[in-house]
Coordinates of all heavy atoms in Angstrom, one line a residue:
V1 N -18.6 56.2 -62.8 CA -17.6 55.7 -62.0 C -18.1 54.4 -61.5 O -19.2 54.2 -61.1 CB -17.4 56.7 -60.8 CG1 -16.4 56.1 -59.8 CG2 -17.0 58.0 -61.2
H2 N -17.1 53.4 -61.4 CA -17.4 52.1 -60.8 C -16.6 52.0 -59.5 O -15.3 52.1 -59.5 CB -16.9 51.0 -61.8 CG -17.3 49.6 -61.2 ND1 -18.5 49.1 -61.4 CD2 -16.5 48.7 -60.6 CE1 -18.5 47.9 -60.8 NE2 -17.3 47.7 -60.3
T3 N -17.3 51.9 -58.4 CA -16.5 51.8 -57.1 C -15.9 50.5 -57.0 O -16.3 49.5 -57.6 CB -17.5 52.0 -55.9 OG1 -18.6 51.1 -56.0 CG2 -18.1 53.4 -55.8
R4 N -14.8 50.4 -56.2 CA -14.0 49.2 -56.0 C -14.8 48.2 -55.2 O -15.7 48.6 -54.5 CB -12.7 49.5 -55.4 CG -11.9 50.4 -56.4 CD -10.5 50.7 -55.8 NE -9.8 51.6 -56.6 CZ -8.7 51.2 -57.2 NH1 -8.2 50.0 -57.1 NH2 -8.0 52.1 -58.0
D5 N -14.3 47.0 -55.2 CA -15.0 45.9 -54.4 C -14.7 46.1 -52.9 O -13.8 46.9 -52.5 CB -14.7 44.5 -54.9 CG -13.2 44.2 -54.8 OD1 -12.4 45.1 -54.4 OD2 -12.8 43.1 -55.1
A6 N -15.4 45.4 -52.1 CA -15.3 45.6 -50.6 C -13.9 45.2 -50.1 O -13.5 45.7 -49.1 CB -16.4 44.8 -49.9
S7 N -13.2 44.3 -50.8 CA -11.9 43.9 -50.3 C -10.9 45.0 -50.4 O -9.8 44.9 -49.8 CB -11.4 42.6 -51.1 OG -11.2 43.0 -52.5
F8 N -11.1 46.0 -51.2 CA -10.2 47.1 -51.4 C -10.0 47.9 -50.1 O -8.9 48.4 -49.8 CB -10.7 48.1 -52.5 CG -9.8 49.2 -52.7 CD1 -8.6 49.0 -53.5 CD2 -10.1 50.5 -52.3 CE1 -7.8 50.1 -53.7 CE2 -9.2 51.5 -52.5 CZ -8.1 51.3 -53.2
I9 N -11.1 47.9 -49.3 CA -11.0 48.6 -48.0 C -9.9 47.9 -47.1 O -9.2 48.6 -46.4 CB -12.3 48.5 -47.2 CG1 -13.4 49.3 -48.0 CG2 -12.2 49.1 -45.8 CD1 -14.8 49.2 -47.5
M10 N -9.8 46.6 -47.2 CA -8.9 45.9 -46.3 C -7.4 45.8 -46.8 O -6.6 45.3 -46.1 CB -9.4 44.4 -46.1 CG -10.7 44.3 -45.4 SD -10.7 45.1 -43.8 CE -9.7 44.0 -42.9
Q11 N -7.1 46.4 -48.0 CA -5.8 46.4 -48.5 C -4.9 47.2 -47.6 O -5.2 48.3 -47.2 CB -5.7 46.9 -49.9 CG -6.2 45.9 -50.9 CD -6.0 46.5 -52.3 OE1 -5.6 47.6 -52.5 NE2 -6.4 45.7 -53.3
G12 N -3.8 46.6 -47.2 CA -2.8 47.3 -46.3 C -3.1 47.1 -44.9 O -2.4 47.5 -44.0
I13 N -4.2 46.4 -44.6 CA -4.6 46.1 -43.2 C -4.4 44.6 -43.0 O -5.0 43.8 -43.7 CB -6.0 46.5 -42.9 CG1 -6.2 48.0 -43.1 CG2 -6.4 46.1 -41.4 CD1 -7.6 48.5 -42.9
Y14 N -3.5 44.3 -42.1 CA -3.2 42.9 -41.8 C -3.8 42.5 -40.5 O -3.6 43.2 -39.5 CB -1.7 42.6 -41.8 CG -1.1 43.0 -43.2 CD1 -0.4 44.2 -43.3 CD2 -1.2 42.2 -44.3 CE1 0.1 44.6 -44.5 CE2 -0.7 42.5 -45.5 CZ 0.0 43.7 -45.6 OH 0.5 44.1 -46.8
T15 N -4.4 41.4 -40.4 CA -4.9 40.9 -39.1 C -3.8 40.0 -38.5 O -3.1 39.3 -39.2 CB -6.2 40.1 -39.3 OG1 -6.0 39.0 -40.2 CG2 -7.3 41.0 -39.8
T16 N -3.7 40.0 -37.2 CA -2.7 39.2 -36.5 C -3.4 38.1 -35.8 O -4.4 38.3 -35.1 CB -2.0 40.1 -35.5 OG1 -1.5 41.2 -36.2 CG2 -0.8 39.3 -34.9
S17 N -2.9 36.9 -35.9 CA -3.6 35.7 -35.2 C -3.2 35.8 -33.7 O -2.2 36.4 -33.3 CB -3.1 34.4 -35.8 OG -1.7 34.2 -35.5
N18 N -4.1 35.1 -33.0 CA -3.8 35.0 -31.5 C -2.6 34.3 -31.2 O -1.9 34.5 -30.2 CB -5.0 34.4 -30.8 CG -6.3 35.2 -30.9 OD1 -6.2 36.4 -31.1 ND2 -7.4 34.7 -30.8
V19 N -2.2 33.3 -32.0 CA -1.0 32.5 -31.7 C 0.2 33.4 -31.9 O 1.1 33.4 -31.0 CB -0.9 31.3 -32.7 CG1 0.4 30.6 -32.6 CG2 -2.1 30.4 -32.5
A20 N 0.3 34.3 -32.9 CA 1.4 35.2 -33.0 C 1.5 36.1 -31.9 O 2.6 36.4 -31.4 CB 1.3 35.9 -34.4
V21 N 0.4 36.6 -31.4 CA 0.4 37.6 -30.3 C 0.9 36.8 -29.0 O 1.7 37.4 -28.3 CB -1.0 38.1 -30.0 CG1 -1.1 38.9 -28.7 CG2 -1.4 39.0 -31.2
A22 N 0.5 35.6 -28.8 CA 0.9 34.8 -27.7 C 2.4 34.5 -27.7 O 3.1 34.6 -26.7 CB 0.1 33.5 -27.6
V23 N 2.9 34.2 -28.9 CA 4.4 33.9 -29.1 C 5.2 35.2 -28.7 O 6.2 35.1 -28.0 CB 4.7 33.4 -30.5 CG1 6.2 33.4 -30.8 CG2 4.1 32.0 -30.7
V24 N 4.8 36.3 -29.2 CA 5.5 37.6 -29.0 C 5.4 37.9 -27.5 O 6.5 38.3 -26.9 CB 4.9 38.7 -29.8 CG1 5.5 40.1 -29.4 CG2 5.2 38.5 -31.3
L25 N 4.3 37.8 -26.8 CA 4.2 38.1 -25.4 C 5.0 37.1 -24.6 O 5.6 37.4 -23.6 CB 2.7 38.0 -25.0 CG 1.8 39.2 -25.5 CD1 0.4 39.0 -25.0 CD2 2.4 40.5 -24.9
G26 N 5.1 35.8 -25.0 CA 5.9 34.8 -24.3 C 7.4 35.1 -24.4 O 8.1 35.0 -23.4
I27 N 7.8 35.6 -25.6 CA 9.2 36.0 -25.8 C 9.6 37.2 -24.9 O 10.6 37.2 -24.2 CB 9.5 36.3 -27.2 CG1 9.5 35.0 -28.1 CG2 10.9 37.0 -27.4 CD1 9.6 35.2 -29.6
V28 N 8.7 38.2 -24.8 CA 8.9 39.3 -24.0 C 9.0 38.9 -22.5 O 9.8 39.4 -21.8 CB 7.8 40.4 -24.3 CG1 7.9 41.5 -23.2 CG2 8.0 41.0 -25.7
A29 N 8.1 38.1 -22.1 CA 8.0 37.6 -20.7 C 9.3 36.8 -20.4 O 9.9 37.0 -19.3 CB 6.8 36.8 -20.4
A30 N 9.8 36.0 -21.3 CA 11.0 35.2 -21.0 C 12.2 36.1 -20.9 O 13.1 35.9 -20.1 CB 11.2 34.2 -22.2

């Protein structure tokens, strides 16, 4: 068996930038 590379663990997991979080929180506050 050949195990998959380390990037396979991160598939389907998306990181969110701080700017996107700030924009969403700003819209909710407005």
Side-chain angles (χ1 to χ4, degrees):
V1 176
H2 184 82
T3 55
R4 297 181 183 246
D5 62 357
S7 66
F8 183 76
I9 294 173
M10 296 303 291
Q11 285 183 355
I13 299 173
Y14 301 100
T15 58
T16 307
S17 69
N18 291 340
V19 174
V21 172
V23 167
V24 169
L25 289 177
I27 291 171
V28 169

